Amino acid sequence: MKASEIRELLKLLDQPDIISFAGGIPDPSLFPADAIRDAYGDVLGGAEAGAALQYQVSEGYLPLRRWLAGQMGKLGIACDEANIFITSGSQQALDYLGKLFLSPGDTALVTWPTYLGALQAFNAYEPRYDRLRPEGGNMTPATYHTAGAANGGRVKFAYLVPDFANPTGATLDRKQREAVLDLAGELDIAVIEDAAYRALRYDGEGVPPILALDCARSGGIDKARTLYCGSFSKILSPGMRVGWVCAPRHVVEKLVLMKQASDLHSPSVNQMVMHRVAESVFDGQVEKLIGAYRERRDGLLDALEVNMPEGVSWSRPEGGMFVWVTLPEGTDATELLARSVKEARVAFVPGNAFYADGTGRNTLRLSFTLADRRAVSEGIPRLAALFKG
């Protein structure tokens, strides 16, 4: 296991003269703090106080699970509370799923690049990684299987962030999602769908979740192979650490056993408060964030267009939190970061951290959720000057 480059970079936020495009974190000024404060007061000041401070069932707070089942239904995923499992953030879900599926030498299929936190969660179980290509490629189910067996294990799952991916901001179209399901069916493996950013769409038409497509194919959630990981962190509050998994019941039962052996349950009071807040402000909060973050994304893209030299390219995400920048071949973004922090006082995340094989050294990730007009107008020209140098 290795230290997270992103977590280390977050420490730079404490330096007031640093302009940071590094941490992929929501803007705290947009949290529904009043609603959360009132909900804590209601829960702890009323008849539910005892339950809020007591042990909870490992599956999670029942009213919250029922609310989430209703939300999943709106996405085309018919399920009930038995298909919902509450976790301490979606990061815990990734850890549990790695523990559930992986033995040393087994293969996890991930995109190149992929979410660094997923690699960290899976690394503890000593897998090997192979490249998942939803857009198509020369890997067939047989070659994936043969490569996995040659390394002493089996292919166990495909992991991906299909909507506004961390780190690239890319979104898979319906054909690509269907292709992932085709591959998973031929390999007889699970699909882990990380949906942390799904609600943050600024442009374009939504695409059905992979789990919804899977349920339509398989005949229902309890026959599906896709495991959907959701989170309240990007919409309501990351500090409350409430995430969930929507999955077939037999998978939820296994996850419950892990929870019992790990931390028993996620904090009762946080689940109860999250339920109240989600019921009252979730849709309005999503609308508020879309308005704020769309403007910041557009500002960052405009600044890149004006300032970046020839040979530098970047993604144009329809949602989420990130823009992915590709530098000319031979440029090392890690070395550039050291210069950037020292000379320009601007931070970003080097792209190689997101590659399972350590490649992608000429790429970097910019987060725009904290990028107000001053940060963009000052930070991007400074960054571009380094590229030109």
Side-chain angles (χ1 to χ4, degrees):
M1 301 179 70
K2 301 177 182 179
S4 166
E5 293 191 33
I6 298 174
R7 303 304 301 179
E8 293 300 311
L9 282 167
L10 285 176
K11 297 174 184 177
L12 294 173
L13 296 178
D14 294 330
Q15 301 180 30
D17 65 328
I18 289 283
I19 295 176
S20 179
F21 300 101
I25 58 178
D27 184 345
S29 71
L30 299 176
F31 293 158
D34 291 343
I36 292 172
R37 183 195 61 237
D38 292 346
Y40 272 109
D42 291 344
V43 169
L44 294 176
E48 293 181 298
L53 300 175
Q54 185 55 280
Y55 287 113
Q56 177 68 251
V57 296
S58 297
E59 290 86 343
Y61 182 53
L62 181 59
L64 178 59
R65 289 161 56 216
R66 285 176 174 162
W67 184 86
L68 285 167
Q71 294 297 111
M72 299 306 295
K74 295 177 183 179
L75 298 176
I77 301 163
C79 65
D80 61 29
E81 64 271 15
N83 300 110
I84 304 293
F85 170 68
I86 303 298
T87 59
S88 296
S90 61
Q91 187 67 23
Q92 185 177 68
L94 297 177
D95 176 51
Y96 282 6
L97 292 170
K99 182 182 294 186
L100 177 63
F101 286 107
L102 295 172
S103 296
D106 282 338
T107 296
L109 305 183
V110 298
T111 55
W112 254 233
T114 194
Y115 171 48
L116 172 59
L119 296 177
Q120 288 186 297
F122 302 151
N123 282 347
Y125 307 106
E126 303 180 46
R128 66 177 287 273
Y129 296 103
D130 210 337
R131 185 171 184 175
L132 177 66
R133 296 176 180 268
E135 74 284 1
N138 57 4
M139 291 289 284
T140 65
T143 54
Y144 279 124
H145 175 78
T146 300
N151 284 271
R154 296 162 47 207
V155 182
K156 290 296 184 65
F157 59 73
Y159 165 82
L160 68 166
V161 186
D163 296 285
F164 325 122
N166 183 356
T168 63
T171 295
L172 300 187
D173 61 28
R174 181 169 184 143
K175 181 179 179 181
Q176 291 168 329
R177 297 175 194 226
E178 297 278 12
V180 170
L181 285 174
D182 290 341
L183 175 65
E186 292 191 63
L187 289 170
D188 194 21
I189 60 173
V191 176
I192 299 175
E193 179 177 15
D194 189 338
Y197 309 95
R198 180 177 174 83
L200 296 176
R201 172 172 284 280
Y202 316 136
D203 304 313
E205 295 296 324
V207 187
I210 296 174
L211 179 53
L213 300 175
D214 194 350
C215 289
R217 286 185 175 201
S218 64
I221 189 168
D222 288 325
K223 297 179 181 179
R225 64 177 67 251
T226 303
L227 317 172
Y228 182 105
C229 299
S231 174
F232 287 108
S233 293
K234 306 305 184 289
I235 305 301
L236 297 179
S237 164
M240 292 175 69
R241 309 308 302 134
V242 182
W244 74 92
V245 177
C246 182
R249 297 184 189 207
H250 66 272
V251 175
V252 170
E253 290 168 0
K254 298 280 196 308
L255 297 176
V256 168
L257 296 179
M258 293 181 186
K259 190 78 169 168
Q260 291 170 350
S262 176
D263 61 356
L264 299 182
H265 61 86
S266 297
S268 305
V269 63
N270 288 1
Q271 294 184 67
M272 295 171 75
V273 167
M274 189 62 79
H275 173 241
R276 284 176 177 253
V277 174
E279 273 197 322
S280 61
V281 307
F282 186 85
D283 290 340
Q285 179 69 7
V286 168
E287 187 174 337
K288 179 172 76 171
L289 293 179
I290 286 174
Y293 292 160
R294 179 195 286 122
E295 181 178 350
R296 295 176 193 182
R297 179 208 58 183
D298 292 346
L300 178 59
L301 292 175
D302 289 345
L304 291 170
E305 190 71 43
V306 169
N307 292 281
M308 285 299 161
E310 187 176 348
V312 178
S313 61
W314 52 91
S315 63
R316 298 180 181 277
E318 293 182 330
M321 295 184 167
F322 309 109
V323 171
W324 185 246
V325 178
T326 302
L327 309 176
E329 286 293 337
T331 308
D332 189 319
T334 301
E335 293 178 1
L336 189 67
L337 174 63
R339 284 186 55 212
S340 181
V341 171
K342 182 179 179 180
E343 300 172 21
R345 306 302 284 165
V346 174
F348 55 82
V349 182
N352 68 292
F354 301 95
Y355 285 81
D357 63 353
T359 58
R361 301 197 71 84
N362 67 319
T363 60
L364 61 91
R365 191 193 75 179
L366 301 176
S367 175
F368 53 79
T369 48
L370 296 179
D372 60 19
R373 291 182 180 178
R374 183 198 68 83
V376 170
S377 64
E378 295 181 17
I380 296 303
R382 291 188 209 169
L383 198 56
L386 289 176
F387 296 158
K388 293 172 185 176

